[in-house]
Amino acid sequence: MKTANSPDTKSKDILSIKKIIVSGHENVVYCEDKDTGLKAIIAIHDTTLGPALGGTRMWNYSSKEDALNDVLRLSRGMTYKAAISGLKLGGGKAVIIGDSKTQKDKKLMCKFGQFVDSLNGRYITAEDVGMSTKDMEYVRSETKHVTGIPESMGGSGDPSPVTAYGVYMGMKAAAQFKWGNNNLKDKRILIQGVGHVGENLLMHLTNEGASVIINDINKEHLSNISKKYNAKIALDENIYDLDIDIYAPCALGATVNPDTISRLKCDIIAGAANNQLADEDRDGKLCLDKGICYAPDFLINAGGLINVYSEINGYDRDHSIQQTREIYETTLEILKKADNEGIPTNDAALKIAKQRISNKNK
Ligand code: NAD
């Protein structure tokens, strides 16, 4: 990893910050603190449209290089998610290297907050995997450049219900495009992963009368959710072979790949998981060729980002929900554009996002 002292950070003598030279990113810094054991990378991909907002992920990466690759990929994705959602935000992300269950404490999060603060607002952090609203409270004690703080502190709290609502809107738009009708009543929908987002999505779909099948590696949780919503359960080995209309990945990335695409019998893929396509270029095209309408993940799962964005200017939940509802129109527009141009839907969405950034530059 090539590093140099960072020129655009304050208090660099107190905080050990090294700039990592990466082409295509505006600023990437490695942050280390011996006292707390903090090792983190903050990546600012692009701030053309506004400050780079993106969550902090804590993960037991096997090497600094793995952590760097992850933060670069995720921060780039945030740039396009913000741009396609019409937000005045750029893309950034942070990763903390370590086990969030055993290595995370108040001191570590406060120190991380100091590093975020040293970037003078060009990066705004939020929750991601391995983080909680409590952790954001600790970060908040050191910097104002943080979102996703608890509702009791005037923040926007858990973004998952808003994310799920956006996914639901995107799914309905895909139905309208594919079937000429956005009614999901009696449609057979598989939700993979009924966690924070998946459960909220299940609630919307159940209310509309869809026939939902659920899958989750946590069997006890799966059974509880099944009882709560009277949803059918599918077991792991055969989920991609089920006779369904819509597949909603709400657990992991990369579940849309040549193996699963060849097995899936659905018309639509629309879910919350980030990076659903194992290989963006190859798998978007495979979906197109098979006639599966893929609702781009970074477009339809942007509700959570829209929600935390609202926190910057004083949180207004109604406004967040209204803006998230617009995912319906945006998705429809992009699916039509992709169809007219004969290109994969994820390419069409990326094209518009990139155009918005380059128009701002002119
Ligand atoms: P979560 O951890 O609350 O839920 C994930 C669920 O998936 C858990 O119940 C887990 O047991 C299950 N799971 C994990 N691996 C699985 C597997 N192999 N097969 C089936 N189930 C599996 O996470 P979440 O907040 O609901 O987020 C779900 C997805 O949506 C993630 O990919 C996340 O990155 C993405 N996302 C979330 C938000 C948000 O607001 N929470 C916003 C944008 C994107």
Side-chain angles (χ1 to χ4, degrees):
M1 196 189 294
K2 222 170 141 191
T3 61
N5 284 334
S6 172
D8 62 350
T9 55
K10 65 183 184 194
S11 60
K12 66 182 173 193
D13 295 332
I14 304 162
L15 299 175
S16 170
I17 293 190
K18 299 266 188 210
K19 190 174 172 91
I20 305 171
I21 316 292
V22 181
S23 80
H25 274 66
E26 287 180 14
N27 193 16
V28 183
V29 290
Y30 179 67
C31 317
E32 190 166 23
D33 178 63
K34 296 254 175 333
D35 276 357
T36 57
L38 176 72
K39 289 181 181 151
I41 307 174
I42 301 175
I44 297 174
H45 175 249
D46 192 296
T47 56
T48 308
L49 298 178
L53 196 156
T56 297
R57 174 169 294 192
M58 186 159 183
W59 194 255
N60 225 345
Y61 294 100
S62 53
S63 65
K64 263 188 220 166
E65 277 65 29
D66 275 3
L68 178 64
N69 285 338
D70 205 30
V71 79
L72 295 180
R73 183 180 60 87
L74 291 165
S75 54
R76 177 181 171 274
M78 291 308 293
T79 297
Y80 301 127
K81 188 183 289 207
I84 198 68
S85 309
L87 304 177
K88 290 184 182 135
L89 284 179
K93 203 88 183 178
V95 293
I96 298 177
I97 302 167
D99 185 338
S100 64
K101 291 196 178 73
T102 57
Q103 288 172 267
K104 190 179 66 173
D105 59 17
K106 183 178 176 183
K107 266 176 78 181
L108 182 125
M109 291 314 300
C110 288
K111 185 54 75 177
F112 177 70
Q114 291 175 17
F115 282 105
V116 171
D117 198 58
S118 73
L119 295 167
N120 300 319
R122 285 189 63 217
Y123 170 65
I124 302 172
T125 198
E127 263 180 73
D128 196 74
V129 176
M131 289 291 136
S132 67
T133 46
K134 188 77 195 160
D135 298 317
M136 293 305 114
E137 249 184 87
Y138 298 142
V139 174
R140 183 76 181 86
S141 66
E142 303 294 332
T143 181
K144 61 179 195 258
H145 307 301
V146 53
T147 56
I149 54 173
E151 284 171 281
S152 57
M153 291 177 71
S156 57
D158 177 13
S160 310
V162 189
T163 301
Y165 182 62
V167 171
Y168 176 53
M169 288 296 106
M171 189 183 277
K172 283 179 81 66
Q176 178 66 39
F177 173 78
K178 192 74 188 172
W179 303 317
N181 183 339
N182 68 22
N183 193 342
L184 298 176
K185 186 169 186 305
D186 296 330
K187 294 294 180 194
R188 291 156 305 173
I189 303 170
L190 167 68
I191 301 180
Q192 180 185 36
V194 277
H196 289 97
V197 181
E199 181 184 348
N200 280 288
L201 177 64
L202 173 61
M203 180 194 70
H204 290 296
L205 295 173
T206 306
N207 288 344
E208 192 169 339
S211 169
V212 189
I213 307 158
I214 57 174
N215 167 264
D216 199 292
I217 46 166
N218 183 336
K219 300 292 174 251
E220 194 186 337
H221 179 64
L222 184 65
S223 164
N224 291 338
I225 296 287
S226 161
K227 284 183 197 131
K228 186 170 168 188
Y229 295 91
N230 197 19
K232 289 181 221 103
I233 286 178
L235 293 175
D236 301 329
E237 59 276 9
N238 64 357
I239 62 165
Y240 301 111
D241 303 308
L242 292 171
D243 198 10
I244 52 169
D245 299 304
I246 301 175
Y247 165 48
C250 295
L252 304 172
T255 64
V256 181
N257 54 51
D259 171 49
T260 59
I261 295 169
S262 71
R263 292 160 64 191
L264 281 166
K265 298 183 181 75
C266 59
D267 282 346
I268 291 168
I269 297 175
N274 283 313
N275 305 310
Q276 289 167 29
L277 304 177
D279 178 317
E280 282 177 27
D281 295 334
R282 180 195 63 198
D283 301 328
K285 174 84 171 51
L286 283 178
C287 286
L288 172 68
D289 292 346
K290 198 173 170 186
I292 295 177
C293 173
Y294 168 66
D297 50 10
F298 69 99
L299 164 64
I300 73 166
N301 74 11
L305 180 65
I306 292 169
N307 200 49
V308 290
Y309 173 64
S310 157
E311 204 176 309
I312 297 173
N313 303 315
Y315 184 53
D316 178 346
R317 191 170 178 89
D318 290 346
H319 184 253
S320 287
I321 299 285
Q322 171 54 35
Q323 220 178 343
T324 301
R325 190 173 299 135
E326 289 168 17
I327 287 178
Y328 181 91
E329 286 306 331
T330 314
T331 305
L332 203 50
E333 183 194 323
I334 282 162
L335 297 180
K336 285 179 185 165
K337 177 183 166 67
D339 192 42
N340 287 339
E341 296 181 16
I343 60 173
T345 54
N346 53 310
D347 285 354
L350 203 57
K351 237 171 137 176
I352 294 182
K354 285 183 174 171
Q355 242 161 31
R356 286 191 181 151
I357 295 165
S358 67
N359 287 347
K360 178 80 195 303
N361 270 329
K362 281 175 194 156

